[in-house]
């Protein structure tokens, strides 16, 4: 019989799936906040330790410190899981968190709560209260949208839960996915380590973690956006606070990404808040000309932490650092060699975080070893699903001005609004740098406009390069394995969003400047002592021109934010739910078939299933081998031909031979679980003597492949 791995038995197999795997919405909301509160003290203790080596840590704002602390804890757990000895046990995780809490409690008592009070005092400012309440509200919307579902995306969710399953079973990161699949690990496991934490600390099933944990990180993008804007606007000034609040409000109510990024690429979603923070730190890092060694090492650690979560985010940060150095470094020519050496060290430190995954890429790139007994000529098949460059690709991945473009926003009204703001923002930037218009000079600081232009330019060039690198004439290049055009394009559109908020920044700064001018030049009114003050006055000179301008600017500002708030409240939760469901429509029959497979399939079974089907979650139920999981993308010609034909309802002698080459003993048919991937068609299997029906529930069916069982000697 199929064995049940640790942390899964009793959750996926002992009770009805839908009753056990769905975490109640209120419990998910409270659990995510508890997880954030639980990991923060350990990270804060690590930052206190780091201050001895990296003095700039002490200059972090309390909000930045709290956000970085969470990622510091996750990075520590990733490092522990990456050790060549199995130490990643629940007791170690809980013990580390307890030690971190004890250390911070001691430090808070010793300093009489000084740093703790600084954070609390900020929370009770108008900006702090707005950011905290906005984060809590956005988290509620995210959880409400996805928390009622049972399964994550059948693509990313299936392989991320498999990664997490292997980590929990092996108590660390390994190089292969054995015994569940005969494939290697080619991707950094930082996100998978994070996905194990709710299972270990909150008792959630592994299937629930990809659904719910990204909600926490997507909500954290709001305070991270505040910190990003505050840095660009002047970290210690009132202007910095205004820019920070504008960034937070725009990303919470108007911009689509990251808050709507729930369909997949969970690793990418987890990295975005830390990437936002890093964008705010880029200019201070490069402006001295040549970063000193402590700053270089610190930024290298930051790069490594981000890359361990998402390669695309790490690549973007490294390229952005180079772009900012070229534009803003005061001594880039005189000290070029020294700067190159610093950047080389920075990148090397970042790469060390993911060296084990890179080793997997090197070993599997030229001729993947998981190609079993390949058939056909040539025996190597290019991975399916890779983008090929066409004019449509350029438009889809780079051009934001396609009418009603979903990548600007899936909501038409917001797509149009962002496109209009982006067009105005580009014009405003051109006018700002080509003229000396006084209003723009005061309303659009170059400290904000310049970095926005540089960051967007870097993102555009990188995405365009990846489009060209995926041209059919080039075949499968290394960039198809080490870079993601899909995620690079989303990063580009996030940068477009920053450009789109610049016109709103002009209005905000114009209002602030007008109010400051009014306060500076208008004396306080004198009240005559002998005339009683009237409750209402119908006389006077009326509003001044400045007051009218301020009122008009406020009204104009209220329009986009009002539209965004209305869409957010009325439509976003439903969109989140429907979008995930379209990619994870696992039926009751599929769930029951998974439960049956977990109880009846022998360990020696080799199961063939369609990509993107509910069968990709089989490793959570049985140690029977899955041929093949969703990552890495299969390049096995036998498998790809069998999938192409069986999804079209064709079973031929060639497919018979392909299944034998793959050593298949069981074929798992499901309903269509994703709009992206077609299911296997059961008709040819039901009519062929090569197959025997083992189990059926709704559209889900398991067939024994009789010739394969005879060849392998593995009956069900």
């Amino acid at each position: 019989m199929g064995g049940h791995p640790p942390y899964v038995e009793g959750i996926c197999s002992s009770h009805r799936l839908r009753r056990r795997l769905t975490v109640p919405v209120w419990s998910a909301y409270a659990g995510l906040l508890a997880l954030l509160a639980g990991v923060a003290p350990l990270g804060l203790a690590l930052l206190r330790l780091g201050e001895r080596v990296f003095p700039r840590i002490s200059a972090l704002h309390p909000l930045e410190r709290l956000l970085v602390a969470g990622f510091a804890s996750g990075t520590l757990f990733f490092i522990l899981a990456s050790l060549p000895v199995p130490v990643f046990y629940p007791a170690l995780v809980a013990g580390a968190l307890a030690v971190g809490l004890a250390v911070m409690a001691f430090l808070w008592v010793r300093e009489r709560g000084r740093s703790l009070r600084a954070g609390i005092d900020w929370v009770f400012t108008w900006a702090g209260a707005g950011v905290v309440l906005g984060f809590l509200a956005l988290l509620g919307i995210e959880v409400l949208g996805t928390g009622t579902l049972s399964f994550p995306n059948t693509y990313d969710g299936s392989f991320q839960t498999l990664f997490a399953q292997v980590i929990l079973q092996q108590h660390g990161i390994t190089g292969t996915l054995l015994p569940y699949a005969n494939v290697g690990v080619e991707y950094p496991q930082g996100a998978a380590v994070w996905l194990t934490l709710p299972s270990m600390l909150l008792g959630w099933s592994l299937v629930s973690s990809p659904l719910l944990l990204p909600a926490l990180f997507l909500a954290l993008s709001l305070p991270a956006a505040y910190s990003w804007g505050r840095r660009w606007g002047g970290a210690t000034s009132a202007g910095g606070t205004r820019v920070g609040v504008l960034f937070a409000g725009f990303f919470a109510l108007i911009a689509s990404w990251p808050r709507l990024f729930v369909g997949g690429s969970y690793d990418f979603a987890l990295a975005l808040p830390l990437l936002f923070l890093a964008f705010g730190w880029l200019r201070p890092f490069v402006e001295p000309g040549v970063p000193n060694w402590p700053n270089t090492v610190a930024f290298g650690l930051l790069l490594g932490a981000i890359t361990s979560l998402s390669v695309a985010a790490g690549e973007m940060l490294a390229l952005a650092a180079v772009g900012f150095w070229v534009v803003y470094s005061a001594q880039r020519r005189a000290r070029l060699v020294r700067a190159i050496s610093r950047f080389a060290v920075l990148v090397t430190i970042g790469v060390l975080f993911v060296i084990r995954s890179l080793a997997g890429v090197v070993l599997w790139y030229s001729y993947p070893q998981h190609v079993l007994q390949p058939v056909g000529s040539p025996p190597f098949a290019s991975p399916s699903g890779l983008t090929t460059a066409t004019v449509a690709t350029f438009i889809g991945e780079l051009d934001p001005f396609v009418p009603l473009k979903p990548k600007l926003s899936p909501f038409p009204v917001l797509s149009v609004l962002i496109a209009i703001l982006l067009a105005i923002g580009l014009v405003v930037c051109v006018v700002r740098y080509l003229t000396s218009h006084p209003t723009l000079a005061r309303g659009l600081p170059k400290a904000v406009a310049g970095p926005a232009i540089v960051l967007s330019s870097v993102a555009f060039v990188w995405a365009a390069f990846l489009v060209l690198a995926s041209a059919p004439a080039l075949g499968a290049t290394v960039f198809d394995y080490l870079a993601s055009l899909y995620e690079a394009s989303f990063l580009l559109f996030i940068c477009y969003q920053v450009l789109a908020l610049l016109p709103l920044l002009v209005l905000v700064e114009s209002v602030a400047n007008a109010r400051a001018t009014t306060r500076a030049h208008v004396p306080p009114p004198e009240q005559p002592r002998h005339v009683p003050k009237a409750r209402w006055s119908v006389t006077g000179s009326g509003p001044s021109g400045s007051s009218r301008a301020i009122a008009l600017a406020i009204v104009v500002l209220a329009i986009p934010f009002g539209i965004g708030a209305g869409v957010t409240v009325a439509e976003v939760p439903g969109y989140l739910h429907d979008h995930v469901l379209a990619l994870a429509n696992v039926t009751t029959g599929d769930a029951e078939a998974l439960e049956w497979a977990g109880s009846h399939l022998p360990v020696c079974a080799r199961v063939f299933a369609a990509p993107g089907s509910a069968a990709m979650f089989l490793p959570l139920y049985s140690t029977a081998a899955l041929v093949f999981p969703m990552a890495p993308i299969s390049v096995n010609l036998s498998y790809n031909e069998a999938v192409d034909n069986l999804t079209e309802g064709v079973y031929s002698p060639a497919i018979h031979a392909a299944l034998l080459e793959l050593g298949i003993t069981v074929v798992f048919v499901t309903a269509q679980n994703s709009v992206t991937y077609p299911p296997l068609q059961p008709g040819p299997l039901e009519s062929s003597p090569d197959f025997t029906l083992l189990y059926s529930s709704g559209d889900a069916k398991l067939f024994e492949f009789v010739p394969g069982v005879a060849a392998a000697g593995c009956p069900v």
Side-chain angles (χ1 to χ4, degrees), residues 115 127 136 193 231 284 382 485 505 688 696 711:
S115 61
L136 294 174
V193 170
R231 284 282 175 178
S382 296
L485 173 58
L505 175 61
S688 171
S696 177

Side-chain angles (χ1 to χ4, degrees), residues 578-591:
D578 294 344
H579 185 61
V580 176
L581 185 62
L583 301 170
N585 188 21
V586 179
T587 67
T588 301
D590 297 325

